[in-house]
Every structure is written in C-alpha cells, then in structure tokens.
Amino acid sequence: MALWSWICGFLSSLLLVIPSSKLLFCGPRIINHFFCDSIPLLNISCNQTLPTDVIYYAFAWIIILYSLLLTSMSYVQIMRAVYCLPSQLGRSKAFSTCVSHLTVVLTFYGTIIFMYIRSSTKVDKVVSIFYAVVIPLINPLVYTLRNRDFHAALKKNLSISIIFCN
C-alpha cells in the first residue's frame, strides 16, 4: 500500500508539473498567496490556461473524492466492528474516539474540497491557511480534550486560579 501511494503521488505530481512547466509568465511574477499552489500559479500566467485548468480540476476531483471514498469506506468498516463489540462501555469509548477523529477528517476534507473543487475566489488564502495550519493545530487539541488526565489537570488549574484571583 505504501508503494502504491508513492507511485500514485509521483505520477499525479508529474502529470501536474508537465502542463505547469509550459506556462508563460509575463509582468509581475508575484504570487498573491501564502505559498506556491497550483491555482495562484495559473492566475499569474499570461497564456491560455484552460487546458491546464481542466487537468488540475480533473485531478482534484479524482484524487480528493477517491481518497474521501476510501476514508468513508474505512469508517463504515470501523463502525461495523465497533457496533459488534460486546461491551457498551467499549462501544461508547470507541465511538467517542471515532467521532473526534471524524470531526477532524471532515473539517480537513471540507476545506480541501472547497479549495480545489471550485473556481478561485478571494478567500483562497484564508481557506489554504485553514487546511494547512489550523486543522493540524486543532487535531491534537481535539484528542486532548477527550483525555481524563487533561480534564483533571484543567480542573486543578482552574480551581487554583480561582483561589488566587479571589
């Protein structure tokens, strides 16, 4: 599976780099974005980008929706396995973990789909920062909020700060 993902990643990148290398750039070569992404690169090109746009959007649809389908199928299998657990406590713990992870995954896929499977808008920078920075930052927070030790430490620190503030 790892080899397959490396091969697919290499081939899809190669198939996107080839049309990008044929783009001509004239005028200001400043990308109005936080990092060099494919859509802002197309925006500063001075030649016809419709064929390259079609390739980018086709690959976005294929790659994003295929990975979303695989992720969804794995969640269905996980939910089936959790549902078959004999203990109610075990099921509730497993579902709690799945819900936390599913929240992060759906937020990630939502922003990726919004960013790459539509035409560009003025909020591209905000959305790209959201999926590149915010989601990886909230991922540990989502899992930390479920931890009992974290809850105990938070209660202890809040009670100490309330005592010192009075």
Side-chain angles (χ1 to χ4, degrees):
M1 285 182 6
L3 181 63
W4 177 248
S5 67
W6 292 334
I7 290 170
C8 289
F10 176 76
L11 291 177
S12 64
S13 297
L14 183 67
L15 291 173
L16 293 175
V17 167
I18 291 171
S20 297
S21 67
K22 295 179 181 181
L23 294 175
L24 299 174
F25 301 101
C26 51
R29 294 183 178 157
I30 299 171
I31 296 176
N32 187 19
H33 214 278
F34 293 109
F35 51 89
C36 185
D37 202 6
S38 56
I39 296 171
L41 190 65
L42 291 174
N43 290 338
I44 65 168
S45 174
C46 59
N47 60 341
Q48 179 65 25
T49 62
L50 184 62
T52 309
D53 282 339
V54 170
I55 292 170
Y56 278 135
Y57 287 115
F59 267 96
W61 276 95
I62 291 167
I63 293 169
I64 294 169
L65 295 180
Y66 180 71
S67 66
L68 179 61
L69 176 70
L70 288 178
T71 304
S72 300
M73 287 174 24
S74 70
Y75 267 104
V76 168
Q77 295 299 324
I78 291 169
M79 293 298 173
R80 280 186 186 162
V82 168
Y83 187 72
C84 292
L85 289 175
S87 163
Q88 176 64 31
L89 180 63
R91 278 196 301 266
S92 66
K93 283 184 176 184
F95 277 128
S96 176
T97 301
C98 286
V99 166
S100 302
H101 187 256
L102 195 57
T103 302
V104 173
V105 168
L106 289 177
T107 307
F108 177 74
Y109 273 113
T111 55
I112 291 291
I113 288 170
F114 182 79
M115 184 69 189
Y116 291 105
I117 303 182
R118 52 131 189 103
S119 60
S120 64
T121 64
K122 297 195 183 292
V123 296
D124 282 351
K125 283 196 250 183
V126 174
V127 174
S128 65
I129 287 298
F130 196 79
Y131 76 77
V133 176
V134 174
I135 292 173
L137 283 175
I138 65 168
N139 195 2
L141 180 65
V142 168
Y143 292 110
T144 302
L145 291 175
R146 296 185 53 254
N147 189 322
R148 288 187 186 132
D149 295 334
F150 175 79
H151 285 242
L154 184 64
K155 285 178 186 176
K156 180 181 175 185
N157 285 331
L158 285 177
S159 65
I160 289 173
S161 66
I162 291 172
I163 291 170
F164 285 117
C165 289
N166 288 334

